[in-house]
Amino acid sequence: MSGIFSKILRGEIPSHKIAEDDNYFAFLDINPLAKGHTLVIPRKEIDYIFDLEDSLLAGMLVFSKRIATAIEKVVPCKRIGIAVLGLEVPHAHIHLIPINRIDDINFARPKLQLTNEEMADIATKIRQELK
Ligand code: AMP
């Protein structure tokens, strides 16, 4: 059975796309801890990030670096925190989260309630920084 992120990859479920290439796809987390909270996934549907082959795993971090640099330009923050949990969606993904303090990356915290328009606006601004 195909997972939710594979459906996003195929466009069967909408997402606020940030970037893509032959191996990876980045889109806004639907329940963000901060404005600009982005998920980076490999196109290959593999659950556990440490089951990715070495080159795909390494490339995922390099791809994430480019996205993080763009997010930082749009969302004022001390830095972009990265986290890997994978407890909810069984498709490897890296969370990129603008942070100023440790609690900003506390997944037990209530998530932001952003409108679709706010999400679209953030995604557009981040995409513009990637050009
Ligand atoms: P985890 O697997 O624990 O790293 O959490 C999965 C993350 O995926 C959560 O932060 C969710 O908010 C996010 N998520 C789940 N479904 C979607 C979706 N359709 N679009 C964007 N993000 C999603």
Side-chain angles (χ1 to χ4, degrees):
M1 204 185 83
S2 187
I4 190 162
F5 288 176
S6 289
K7 288 184 177 153
I8 286 177
L9 284 170
R10 291 197 299 269
E12 293 167 15
I13 292 178
S15 70
H16 294 283
K17 186 174 99 174
I18 300 296
E20 65 179 322
D21 71 5
D22 289 347
N23 291 316
Y24 311 103
F25 190 91
F27 55 104
L28 292 184
D29 192 303
I30 204 167
N31 295 307
L33 275 172
K35 281 188 179 179
H37 181 165
T38 296
L39 301 177
V40 174
I41 66 173
R43 290 191 181 277
K44 219 180 208 181
E45 188 174 309
I46 292 175
D47 173 5
Y48 187 40
I49 195 163
F50 292 132
D51 284 335
L52 293 177
E53 61 205 73
D54 289 356
S55 59
L56 199 58
L57 176 61
M60 200 167 158
L61 200 53
V62 175
F63 183 84
S64 299
K65 174 180 170 180
R66 195 171 149 251
I67 310 294
T69 305
I71 298 170
E72 273 177 304
K73 289 181 183 150
V74 174
V75 183
C77 61
K78 271 197 180 153
R79 57 179 57 208
I80 302 299
I82 72 171
V84 176
L85 291 84
L87 295 172
E88 196 185 306
V89 177
H91 185 138
H93 51 281
I94 292 175
H95 293 259
L96 301 176
I97 306 170
I99 55 171
N100 293 296
R101 58 193 74 79
I102 194 162
D103 200 42
D104 292 342
I105 200 162
N106 173 4
F107 280 79
R109 251 187 44 215
K111 307 302 184 296
L112 294 186
Q113 303 287 330
L114 300 178
T115 64
N116 195 50
E117 288 69 29
E118 287 173 310
M119 294 281 276
D121 180 58
I122 295 163
T124 301
K125 287 180 173 145
I126 298 170
R127 281 198 303 271
Q128 281 166 352
E129 292 299 336
L130 285 166
K131 280 181 185 159

